[in-house]
Amino acid sequence: MNQGGMLKPALIAGVLLGILSALPLIQWVNSCCCAWVIGGGIFAAYLYVRESAEAVTLGRGLALGLLTGVIGGIVSVLMSLPLLYISFANTKVLEELSKSVEHVPDLSPQVRETLQHLLSDPLRSLSFFATIGGAMVTVMSAIFAMAGGAIGVALFEKRKPGQISAETPPATTSGPPPELPPPPPLQ
Amino acid sequence: MRLSNPIFKARVFVILLSGLGFLMVLGAPSLAAGGHFFLSALVYTVFSPICHQMPERSFELLGFPWAVCHRCCGIYLGVLLAAVFYTAIPRRLTSHEMRRYWVAAATAPLLMDVGLTAAGVWNNAPLSRLCTGFLFGSMLSSLLVPAFSEFLQPWNLSRCRTTEIQGGAW
């Protein structure tokens, strides 16, 4: 498995999908069944198929998509942190959230108290919601990007399984090749 | 032996994953109808990053909207049912030569349904959203099952040859 070859396309596509998923307004495309995330998986597969000397299989596309989705999820969360911080630094927002927690009818008293304790401090709220939300976003990104990876391989891989591209240059070795016959004896 | 068949294991995995997702989609309105609003809100929140969840474009159960829209529901249903009836999918569709045409053919109706509605040419309906989503989901399942059958096997190191690429274009 050319795992080193998988990292670069996953990084490029993952960072791109993370940025697109975090930008305001543009991120709403993800509301159409994670279109940016699936697109990120497809793009990663395109880059990987283009550079891989060996035919890429659907399973490898799935693994590539998983890596792309995880990277994209992490980038998306990191890019959303400044906006989240601004929201949670606003005490009015926290007060409104705390009031709405009081009115949820089926919450146990312990859960209600825990939530209100979290919402009493901006940094604590930000850490909690960023961690939970970030984990959720990363898992969903990974799942949908896996689908994108499989779709991308199906679309772009034209070589048959096991086939090696003819354009791959042979590995260079030092010394004489072993197939050369021994020199004739001197007469 | 069926259990050792990698395709069978992959089908079971896809069925469990998509089945769990579909149960959650139905679970959100069921929980809300039962008065468990906090748990219901949690389930709706899980799906909120991946679906617009507009009530007018979602099915309803017990007076509450499903956790995803008609189209997403069609996709999850397509993935689930295609994995259940995987042996009924013509092998030719997922063959190496045909699969890119199968992907294009299954995706085009969905894109047209969305695109033509956005352009104001056509008003899509719950049935068109459900059916185009179902077709896309079926295609996805027909790719995911063989992909997972390879992915879930332990790595066979003799197959994974590292090929030196001289002067990479990155």
Side-chain angles (χ1 to χ4, degrees), chain A residues 1 8 30-31 33-34 47 51 54 57 59 62 105-107 136 140 151 154-155 157-160 164, chain B residues 35-38 45-46 49-52 96-97 99-100 140 144 147-148 150-151 155 160-161 165 169-170:
Chain A
M1 164 81 56
K8 263 184 182 158
N30 268 339
S31 296
C33 210
C34 268
L47 294 174
E51 283 304 317
E54 206 177 18
T57 58
L62 213 65
D106 61 325
L107 267 184
M136 215 168 69
M140 294 299 230
I151 292 174
L155 277 175
E157 183 55 83
K158 293 179 182 154
R159 295 165 295 186
K160 291 206 169 140
I164 294 178
Chain B
H36 305 288
F37 297 107
F38 181 63
T45 307
V46 165
I50 60 169
C51 182
H52 51 72
H96 189 80
E97 294 77 22
R99 64 187 183 190
R100 71 182 69 92
L140 201 55
L144 287 177
F148 273 116
E150 186 191 329
F151 187 69
W155 295 115
C160 300
R161 290 175 293 140
I165 297 172
W170 299 110

Side-chain angles (χ1 to χ4, degrees), chain B residues 112-157:
Chain B
M112 277 169 55
D113 194 45
V114 172
L116 291 177
T117 303
V121 174
W122 144 272
N123 275 329
N124 58 26
L127 189 62
S128 70
R129 295 192 279 267
L130 183 72
C131 292
T132 53
F134 185 85
L135 183 62
F136 182 80
S138 306
M139 176 274 294
L140 201 55
S141 198
S142 69
L143 295 180
L144 287 177
V145 168
F148 273 116
S149 73
E150 186 191 329
F151 187 69
L152 292 174
Q153 281 177 0
W155 295 115
N156 184 346
L157 294 175

Side-chain angles (χ1 to χ4, degrees), chain B residues 78-125:
Chain B
V79 171
L80 177 63
L81 290 180
V84 170
F85 299 108
Y86 182 74
T87 48
I89 300 174
R91 286 285 76 81
R92 202 170 137 72
L93 279 180
T94 55
S95 66
H96 189 80
E97 294 77 22
M98 291 297 292
R99 64 187 183 190
R100 71 182 69 92
Y101 303 110
W102 168 222
V103 168
T107 311
L110 186 145
L111 292 176
M112 277 169 55
D113 194 45
V114 172
L116 291 177
T117 303
V121 174
W122 144 272
N123 275 329
N124 58 26

Side-chain angles (χ1 to χ4, degrees), chain A residues 21-82:
Chain A
S21 300
L23 289 175
L25 293 179
I26 295 174
Q27 67 182 191
W28 293 115
V29 175
N30 268 339
S31 296
C32 304
C33 210
C34 268
W36 284 139
V37 181
I38 295 178
I42 294 174
F43 184 53
Y46 166 73
L47 294 174
Y48 185 52
V49 164
R50 202 178 64 161
E51 283 304 317
S52 174
E54 206 177 18
V56 178
T57 58
L58 286 173
R60 272 201 246 172
L62 213 65
L64 176 69
L66 176 66
L67 192 56
T68 305
V70 168
I71 293 170
I74 292 170
V75 168
S76 168
V77 169
L78 288 174
M79 284 197 63
S80 304
L81 280 177

Side-chain angles (χ1 to χ4, degrees), chain A residues 169-182:
Chain A
T172 55
T173 54
S174 56
E179 298 83 33
L180 279 183

